[in-house]
Amino acid sequence: MPVEILKEKFTGTVQEVVLGATKEEGGTRAKTVKLGGSSTLPFLQYEGDIPNRPAIAFEIWDIEPDWNEAFNESYGDVWKDPVAWAKKVEELGADIIYLKLKGADPELDNPKSPDDCAKIVKAVLENTGAPLMVEGPGHPEADNDVLQAVGEAAAGENIALGLAEKDNYRSIAAAAMMGKHCVIGRSPVDINILKQLNIMITEMGIAPNKIINDPMSSGLGYGIEYSYSIMERARWGALIGDKMMAFPVICVAGAEAWRAKEANAPLEDAGPGWGEQKPRGIMWEAMTAAALIQAGGDLILMRHPEAVKLLNKHIDDLMKPNLY
Amino acid sequence: MGLTGLAIFKLLPKTNCKECGVPTCMAFAMALASGKATLDQCPYVSDEAKEALDSATAPPIKLVKAGAGDNVLEMGDEQVMFRHDKTFYHPTGIFIEVADNADVAAKVDEINGLAFERVGQKYVVDGVAVVNASGNADTFKDAVAAAAGKTDKVLLLVSEDAAAMEAAAAGVADRKPILYAANADNYEKMVEVAKKIGAPLVVKGKNLDDVADLAGKVGYKELILDSGERETSKVIADLTQIRRQAIKKRFRPFGYPTIAFTTEEDPYLEAMQAQAYVAKYASIVVMKTTELASLLTLFSWRSNLFTDPQKPIAVEPGIYAIGDVTPDSPVYITTNFSLTFYTVQTEVESTRLPSYLIAFETEGLSVLTAWAGGKFIGEEIGPWLKDADINEKVSHKQLIIPGGVAAIKGKIEELSGWEVIVGPREANGISSFAKLKLGA
């Protein structure tokens, strides 16, 4: 007797968001990337449409980062210059470039001005073809000024501006609206705030296909399951028709994974059974990412090129059709 | 509860004899449906009715146990598709393969030696899968015996040759090994072998239809299911179907734990494949790699996934010494929520300045949550600090508190007599804090 396949009957879909704009679309990107769009749970092709695979963005900074030595090999020769770094990650296969303007942090001795930031973003855009996402330094006032300038400088390119949060979203959302960019709304591992922020951003007039959600990821071993469950709940909500939970999700796997002692500790300082730092760090990031895509991550923000390679191959396998 | 009162009533004698202690069969049926009565109260229920009713009242996924002594693996008995709906109960068993024609002793030694520790947790491999790669019954038997002699871990015997299985399993019957596998061709003999020693048996189908068919007809209930798929996306689909149908449809042939096998050759990709299976409902994953980075991350993920969302993990409250402390060592305080504690501990360690870290009892709540909840406040910390052992351990009275709760400084000082230094808001600020303020 054949088994009757039991399919969930979903009425909602995850919003599809396009990042980047080609010449025809008013920008200068070589290609655009589509995020989201699923009408079912992660990787269950047999029960719905999964038009876009999880995309991978490479994280770069506008100043030299304080990352583990493990990164010297890949980026040591470029990370003093964001344009060189951006070109490098594009060579390494970045679908999307995610630029963190850490240099504009007002607590630094000589923080970059909004104008400086605008120039950097322009230069990155001029020298790369991938869609771009830009995150401010993480201080509300600086974020607002910087992202406004960046939004203007990148007009037409359909970049993403982040991070809009519950207590500081208006300026950033306005900058996105003016430049016709996307906005990344971040909520602190809280599904109610996730929804509330989406409502507030939408009420400002941002179109649904311009919103990306960062529910705040935690790394493997340090709270990942909190993010995982928020994401699963939001995805379920999206699929049963709640439009305010239905935006593509970005998971900050790289930065979060590399906070862990397990990713960084050299063998001498490592715990029992940990082994060499190099594969351990790469895997800490790759496995953080792999777990989060099972919960519906649409865009994963990564650091290490080796972790990206592993993740890409894994996604290839997950995206193979499994129709009954 | 699968059956309604009415459906149960249809299976009862309908004589209203009252011997169950309830006036009518209908009333008894309603009591059964709500779990207020048990079927054995009725002396006249037929065997068929008993079976049907057992089936309906049984948990959606059978609990199956393997192994013996200190190494019993519990599988199945899950109730939800998403951990946030309740929790996942039985962490996936991770097994590593050894071929019967390889150096079994050496491989089992290697598996035994795989032990990991992090954040107060210990991880070890759950079981050893001995594979009849040789195709020879004697080689298999010897390999199983050798493996059994070298480890107490749960054994998984992999051979679809029932005669070879019988011989090999007999020697390790008391270990309650898992027998892999019964298929459409060998199931009668395999089930006999399993029944004889009371061992869990994997039924392997070519596809979902086949495995449902087998599970239904083998006449044995200590089962684990293998849908036969090996391609990652298809395995996930099958594992999801089996779990979903067992829970939502009470589809009995799928009401058992599941087993999945990795196929990736690269050890890191293999771990990612295994992780997907752990996330997507496999009760056992059988792997080949012994790569440390692969297993450390996989075990950490499993531990995270199977954490009960309603019970935050906490460390024992108390005063922890980090490094070679002296009476001059700084004293930090944080909550006893595991994540918080271990994150702060790691940061304090990396300052290389021996310090004390107090894990204050907040029932596993994080700093800000505990503060908001009235557990991490001056009125609690102050009096405790006044009389705490830490007074004997250090010659100073300076307490470093998390920057996010600077507001509690005054009250702590008032009630304890200690001086409070407001530390960084985030644990990752401890390093520079220690350099600037503590001369680290």
Side-chain angles (χ1 to χ4, degrees):
Chain A
M1 230 215 88
V3 165
E4 203 189 307
I5 297 300
L6 181 57
K7 296 188 188 182
E8 297 286 359
K9 292 184 183 57
F10 293 127
T11 52
T13 59
V14 175
Q15 176 68 48
E16 190 176 71
V17 169
V18 178
L19 264 181
T22 58
K23 200 144 151 261
E24 291 77 36
E25 294 156 339
T28 61
R29 304 299 84 207
K31 57 173 165 63
T32 59
V33 175
K34 291 193 180 147
L35 308 174
S38 288
S39 67
T40 185
L41 293 164
F43 311 115
L44 299 183
Q45 279 91 351
Y46 70 86
E47 69 184 31
D49 295 315
I50 304 182
N52 304 306
R53 60 186 274 145
I56 296 178
F58 274 71
E59 177 187 342
I60 67 170
W61 291 17
D62 63 332
I63 54 174
E64 186 176 340
D66 55 350
W67 293 1
N68 187 287
E69 278 176 7
F71 290 96
N72 286 356
E73 204 181 349
S74 320
Y75 304 134
D77 56 336
V78 294
W79 57 18
K80 282 191 168 48
D81 172 7
V83 173
W85 197 356
K87 285 165 85 161
K88 182 77 189 275
V89 299
E90 198 163 37
E91 265 166 57
L92 288 168
D95 296 328
I96 293 163
I97 298 168
Y98 189 109
L99 171 63
K100 284 195 186 175
L101 294 170
K102 294 279 199 177
D105 184 345
E107 296 196 0
L108 291 175
D109 288 332
N110 281 317
K112 299 212 167 75
S113 68
D115 219 51
D116 295 332
C117 294
K119 289 197 174 81
I120 292 170
V121 167
K122 258 194 132 60
V124 167
L125 287 166
E126 267 154 30
N127 284 276
T128 56
L132 180 66
M133 303 175 85
V134 179
E135 183 183 312
H139 287 249
E141 275 161 38
D143 280 350
N144 294 344
D145 295 337
V146 161
L147 294 172
Q148 186 166 1
V150 164
E152 281 167 22
E157 295 282 12
N158 190 25
I159 68 174
L161 298 175
L163 297 153
E165 299 189 278
K166 184 167 79 88
D167 296 331
N168 186 47
Y169 67 94
R170 280 182 218 282
S171 261
I172 299 171
M177 237 167 29
M178 294 245 289
K180 295 204 178 58
H181 302 300
C182 296
V183 64
I184 307 167
R186 181 170 74 170
S187 45
V189 201
D190 183 318
I191 200 161
N192 297 311
I193 296 179
L194 181 151
K195 188 168 165 170
Q196 197 188 359
L197 180 58
N198 287 329
I199 291 171
M200 298 193 299
I201 290 175
T202 302
E203 274 171 4
M204 279 187 65
I206 304 268
N209 66 350
K210 295 287 191 187
I211 300 174
I212 295 168
N213 280 174
D214 177 355
M216 241 169 135
S217 307
S218 299
L220 177 65
Y222 289 93
I224 193 173
E225 69 273 21
Y226 291 89
S227 308
Y228 186 85
S229 288
I230 296 276
M231 286 170 61
E232 288 202 302
R233 289 167 66 192
R235 172 60 73 100
W236 186 266
L239 295 174
I240 62 173
D242 189 334
K243 290 189 158 55
M244 287 300 116
M245 293 214 231
F247 300 103
V249 167
I250 179 171
C251 301
V252 182
E256 291 302 316
W258 285 94
R259 284 160 67 123
K261 181 177 174 182
E262 287 80 347
N264 294 291
L267 193 55
E268 321 75 89
D269 296 335
W274 289 22
E276 292 292 339
Q277 182 277 330
K278 186 168 173 192
R280 189 175 3 103
I282 290 165
M283 277 302 274
W284 209 261
E285 181 176 352
M287 293 284 269
T288 294
L292 293 172
I293 60 177
Q294 289 299 334
D298 298 292
L299 170 57
I300 316 297
L301 184 57
M302 302 285 283
R303 287 185 173 178
H304 203 293
E306 292 300 318
V308 169
K309 272 199 202 124
L310 289 169
L311 183 63
N312 256 327
K313 174 73 181 44
H314 182 59
I315 293 173
D316 287 344
D317 289 334
L318 290 170
M319 289 299 290
K320 291 199 176 121
N322 50 22
L323 308 172
Y324 279 107
Chain B
M1 178 57 219
L3 294 181
T4 59
L6 191 55
I8 295 173
F9 174 69
K10 291 183 182 154
L11 297 167
L12 295 177
K14 302 185 208 55
T15 54
N16 296 342
C17 74
K18 301 188 185 40
E19 288 185 41
C20 62
V22 183
T24 62
C25 292
M26 188 65 205
F28 182 57
M30 301 306 281
L32 273 176
S34 56
K36 291 192 174 71
T38 52
L39 194 55
D40 50 10
Q41 288 165 234
C42 174
Y44 303 109
V45 66
S46 71
D47 283 339
E48 278 161 10
K50 254 202 199 118
E51 252 226 47
L53 281 159
D54 272 346
S55 193
T57 52
I61 297 171
K62 189 167 190 323
L63 174 67
V64 174
K65 298 189 202 187
D70 291 328
N71 291 296
V72 172
L73 179 68
E74 293 192 343
M75 300 162 277
D77 195 21
E78 299 289 349
Q79 297 174 5
V80 293
M81 299 298 292
F82 298 107
R83 63 185 289 277
H84 61 254
D85 282 332
K86 201 167 195 334
T87 187
F88 290 155
Y89 289 102
H90 299 292
T92 310
I94 302 296
F95 283 56
I96 294 184
E97 279 185 25
V98 47
D100 64 352
N101 52 9
D103 186 343
V104 176
K107 188 71 186 181
V108 176
D109 272 341
E110 190 191 358
I111 295 171
N112 281 341
L114 293 167
F116 307 87
E117 276 181 53
R118 55 171 295 272
V119 298
Q121 298 181 332
K122 291 188 165 133
Y123 310 134
V124 294
V125 175
D126 300 292
V128 174
V130 184
V131 182
N132 185 198
S134 65
N136 179 300
D138 288 326
T139 311
F140 187 50
K141 180 165 163 224
D142 292 341
V144 169
K150 279 238 153 209
T151 187
D152 290 331
K153 294 182 195 294
V154 182
L155 298 170
L156 174 65
L157 275 44
V158 182
S159 178
E160 289 177 62
D161 174 345
M165 183 67 84
E166 184 169 29
V172 291
D174 56 336
R175 295 282 292 265
K176 253 313 204 67
I178 300 170
L179 309 186
Y180 181 99
N183 56 39
D185 300 319
N186 70 9
Y187 74 90
E188 280 129 340
K189 190 79 206 290
M190 274 295 188
V191 170
E192 247 182 66
V193 176
K195 271 185 183 165
K196 195 151 166 216
I197 64 177
L201 174 67
V202 179
V203 287
K204 175 185 180 180
K206 292 190 213 53
N207 50 45
L208 287 181
D209 296 341
D210 198 21
V211 79
D213 185 50
L214 274 169
K217 73 183 181 193
V218 292
Y220 189 54
K221 297 244 181 266
E222 300 300 312
L223 301 181
I224 300 168
L225 308 179
D226 175 358
S227 78
E229 261 307 336
R230 295 292 182 264
E231 267 191 52
T232 313
S233 72
K234 292 183 174 162
V235 174
I236 288 173
D238 281 355
L239 291 173
T240 303
Q241 276 301 308
I242 290 171
R243 169 77 62 104
R244 189 189 281 175
Q245 297 211 25
I247 290 178
K248 293 193 165 192
K249 254 166 75 172
R250 292 288 167 138
F251 184 57
R252 286 291 139 195
F254 283 173
Y256 297 102
T258 51
I259 183 169
F261 291 78
T262 57
T263 53
E264 288 287 347
E265 295 192 353
D266 175 286
Y268 305 121
L269 289 173
E270 187 183 358
M272 292 167 87
Q273 187 183 38
Q275 173 192 59
Y277 296 162
V278 168
K280 292 291 135 185
Y281 318 122
S283 313
I284 295 178
V285 175
V286 183
M287 312 179 57
K288 295 188 180 63
T289 188
T290 52
E291 229 355 83
L292 300 180
S294 297
L295 294 175
L296 176 67
T297 49
L298 182 64
F299 282 125
S300 302
W301 165 240
R302 181 185 68 177
S303 169
N304 294 159
L305 182 72
F306 284 86
T307 300
D308 184 337
Q310 306 201 316
K311 296 191 191 127
I313 21 170
V315 303
E316 201 52 45
I319 301 163
Y320 292 78
I322 299 173
D324 294 324
V325 287
T326 71
D328 293 326
S329 292
V331 179
Y332 296 82
I333 189 168
T334 190
T335 72
N336 75 332
F337 174 42
S338 282
L339 279 189
T340 306
F341 178 80
Y342 286 112
T343 306
V344 174
Q345 183 193 58
T346 301
E347 292 295 338
V348 172
E349 261 173 19
S350 66
T351 64
R352 301 250 186 267
L353 182 59
S355 308
Y356 285 98
L357 175 58
I358 299 170
F360 194 72
E361 167 72 269
T362 58
E363 288 163 31
L365 295 179
S366 63
V367 171
L368 293 177
T369 315
W371 173 56
K375 292 188 184 358
F376 198 70
I377 53 175
E379 291 84 343
E380 295 292 329
I381 298 171
W384 175 86
L385 185 58
K386 186 157 177 218
D387 298 326
D389 285 349
I390 190 70
N391 287 287
E392 270 90 68
K393 294 188 202 285
V394 293
S395 58
H396 64 84
K397 277 187 192 302
Q398 289 181 328
L399 179 71
I400 303 162
I401 65 170
V405 292
I408 65 178
K409 170 180 150 96
K411 208 59 172 179
I412 295 178
E413 285 176 340
E414 185 197 323
L415 296 177
S416 67
W418 279 53
E419 182 197 337
V420 169
I421 301 174
V422 176
R425 304 191 119 248
E426 295 278 343
N428 60 19
I430 286 174
S431 234
S432 40
F433 169 83
K435 281 191 194 111
L436 287 167
K437 305 274 170 91
L438 306 174

XYZ file of all heavy atoms in Angstrom, chain A residues 264-299:
260
model
N 38.879 30.065 18.174
C 40.132 30.806 18.194
C 41.310 30.181 18.921
O 42.455 30.453 18.582
C 39.876 32.177 18.836
C 38.973 33.030 17.994
O 39.356 33.482 16.923
N 37.744 33.232 18.455
N 41.035 29.414 19.947
C 42.134 28.991 20.824
C 43.163 28.133 20.113
O 42.828 27.129 19.491
C 41.561 28.231 22.018
N 44.441 28.516 20.219
C 45.489 27.655 19.673
C 45.544 26.363 20.474
O 45.003 26.300 21.582
C 46.770 28.480 19.870
C 46.448 29.464 20.930
C 44.969 29.695 20.907
N 46.189 25.363 19.923
C 46.218 24.044 20.549
C 46.632 24.108 22.022
O 46.036 23.426 22.866
C 47.150 23.126 19.754
C 47.071 21.629 20.067
C 45.647 21.103 19.915
C 48.025 20.862 19.162
N 47.629 24.948 22.353
C 48.123 25.019 23.738
C 47.034 25.454 24.718
O 47.071 25.102 25.881
C 49.258 26.035 23.949
C 50.323 26.206 22.924
C 49.941 26.960 21.689
O 50.064 28.191 21.643
O 49.526 26.253 20.729
N 46.099 26.264 24.232
C 45.048 26.776 25.130
C 43.722 26.065 24.935
O 42.710 26.468 25.505
C 44.816 28.275 24.872
C 46.040 29.108 25.201
O 46.845 28.641 26.028
O 46.184 30.205 24.635
N 43.728 25.046 24.093
C 42.469 24.400 23.723
C 41.993 23.437 24.788
O 42.769 22.961 25.613
C 42.628 23.668 22.395
N 40.710 23.123 24.751
C 40.127 22.155 25.679
C 40.379 20.726 25.217
O 40.904 20.508 24.136
N 39.979 19.749 26.031
C 40.191 18.339 25.696
C 39.490 17.933 24.411
O 38.294 18.163 24.259
C 39.580 17.590 26.894
C 39.513 18.567 27.997
C 39.347 19.909 27.365
N 40.256 17.323 23.505
C 39.683 16.820 22.255
C 39.538 17.876 21.175
O 39.046 17.574 20.089
N 39.941 19.100 21.438
C 39.657 20.159 20.472
C 40.493 20.098 19.200
O 40.050 20.515 18.130
C 39.848 21.532 21.123
C 38.802 21.868 22.132
C 38.001 21.000 22.827
C 38.460 23.167 22.592
N 37.169 21.689 23.673
C 37.433 23.026 23.555
C 38.913 24.459 22.287
C 36.863 24.118 24.214
C 38.337 25.548 22.938
C 37.330 25.365 23.886
N 41.718 19.663 19.290
C 42.570 19.575 18.097
C 43.046 20.943 17.619
O 42.871 21.959 18.273
N 43.608 20.943 16.426
C 44.234 22.137 15.856
C 43.240 23.265 15.619
O 42.083 23.013 15.254
C 44.894 21.789 14.524
C 46.112 20.875 14.646
C 47.288 21.565 15.317
O 47.336 22.817 15.333
O 48.160 20.838 15.826
N 43.733 24.495 15.771
C 42.845 25.648 15.646
C 42.310 25.829 14.230
O 41.138 26.172 14.039
C 43.598 26.915 16.091
C 42.740 28.182 16.056
C 42.668 28.813 14.686
O 43.595 28.707 13.891
N 41.540 29.448 14.381
N 43.143 25.599 13.225
C 42.719 25.973 11.866
C 41.431 25.276 11.418
O 40.449 25.948 11.090
C 43.854 25.768 10.868
C 43.477 26.294 9.503
C 44.642 26.388 8.550
C 44.080 26.758 7.156
N 45.057 26.614 6.098
N 41.379 23.932 11.395
C 40.120 23.319 10.955
C 38.978 23.602 11.934
O 37.814 23.700 11.548
C 40.435 21.822 10.917
C 41.656 21.635 11.739
C 42.404 22.928 11.733
N 39.324 23.757 13.212
C 38.312 23.979 14.240
C 37.606 25.313 14.038
O 36.384 25.411 14.127
C 38.985 23.922 15.629
C 38.041 23.929 16.754
C 38.629 23.757 18.153
N 40.041 23.663 18.316
C 40.833 24.661 18.747
N 40.321 25.842 18.992
N 42.127 24.458 18.909
N 38.379 26.340 13.742
C 37.796 27.670 13.515
C 36.917 27.675 12.271
O 35.792 28.181 12.280
N 37.446 27.087 11.217
C 36.687 27.027 9.963
C 35.382 26.269 10.175
O 34.305 26.697 9.746
C 37.533 26.371 8.854
C 38.672 27.310 8.441
C 36.679 26.015 7.641
C 39.763 26.655 7.622
N 35.464 25.143 10.859
C 34.265 24.338 11.085
C 33.296 25.010 12.053
O 32.079 24.848 11.939
C 34.636 22.946 11.599
C 35.002 21.996 10.496
S 33.639 21.816 9.298
C 32.684 20.520 10.098
N 33.838 25.750 13.026
C 32.933 26.421 13.959
C 32.047 27.377 13.163
O 30.850 27.503 13.406
C 33.718 27.158 15.065
C 32.929 27.244 16.333
C 32.208 28.309 16.780
C 32.729 26.190 17.297
N 31.569 27.990 17.962
C 31.880 26.715 18.304
C 33.180 24.877 17.427
C 31.478 25.953 19.413
C 32.776 24.132 18.527
C 31.943 24.672 19.504
N 32.635 28.045 12.174
C 31.864 28.961 11.332
C 30.957 28.193 10.367
O 29.765 28.505 10.243
C 32.811 29.867 10.524
C 32.047 30.851 9.647
C 32.929 31.838 8.883
O 34.152 31.881 9.117
O 32.367 32.566 8.044
N 31.489 27.168 9.721
C 30.693 26.419 8.736
C 29.488 25.739 9.380
O 28.389 25.733 8.818
C 31.569 25.376 8.038
N 29.686 25.169 10.558
C 28.586 24.462 11.214
C 27.572 25.443 11.800
O 26.380 25.142 11.853
C 29.118 23.523 12.305
C 29.925 22.362 11.751
S 28.909 21.058 11.006
C 28.674 19.991 12.441
N 28.020 26.625 12.217
C 27.078 27.664 12.656
C 26.161 27.994 11.482
O 24.937 28.030 11.612
C 27.837 28.932 13.113
O 28.596 28.637 14.284
C 26.866 30.065 13.425
N 26.783 28.215 10.341
C 26.012 28.565 9.148
C 25.063 27.440 8.740
O 23.889 27.673 8.432
C 26.967 28.887 8.004
N 25.569 26.209 8.727
C 24.770 25.069 8.270
C 23.546 24.854 9.158
O 22.480 24.489 8.677
C 25.632 23.807 8.227
N 23.705 25.085 10.457
C 22.564 24.921 11.355
C 21.515 25.982 11.045
O 20.324 25.683 10.956
C 23.006 25.032 12.804
N 21.962 27.216 10.836
C 21.015 28.313 10.652
C 20.269 28.224 9.328
O 19.127 28.668 9.236
C 21.744 29.649 10.803
C 22.252 29.892 12.232
C 23.139 31.134 12.293
C 21.108 30.018 13.218
N 20.857 27.630 8.298
C 20.081 27.490 7.064
C 18.972 26.451 7.226
O 17.947 26.531 6.558
C 20.931 27.199 5.808
C 21.714 25.907 5.937
C 21.843 28.360 5.495
C 22.499 25.570 4.675
N 19.134 25.509 8.140
C 18.055 24.549 8.397
C 16.854 25.246 9.032
O 15.738 24.743 8.978
C 18.531 23.411 9.318
C 19.493 22.435 8.678
C 18.899 21.705 7.481
O 17.685 21.526 7.368
N 19.749 21.273 6.562
N 17.101 26.392 9.659
C 15.998 27.125 10.277
C 15.428 28.173 9.330
O 14.535 28.922 9.694
C 16.474 27.798 11.562
N 15.962 28.219 8.108
C 15.397 29.134 7.117
C 16.259 30.332 6.762
O 15.781 31.281 6.148
N 17.542 30.312 7.126
C 18.407 31.433 6.766
C 18.432 31.620 5.254
O 18.682 30.675 4.521
N 18.170 32.853 4.787
C 18.140 33.108 3.347
C 19.454 33.703 2.856
O 19.765 33.646 1.664
C 17.007 34.097 3.021
C 15.651 33.543 3.399
O 15.223 32.564 2.750
O 15.026 34.072 4.345
N 20.179 34.328 3.792
C 21.435 34.992 3.445
C 22.369 34.816 4.625
O 22.016 35.135 5.755
C 21.158 36.480 3.195
C 22.344 37.433 3.054
C 23.284 36.999 1.944
C 21.829 38.828 2.779
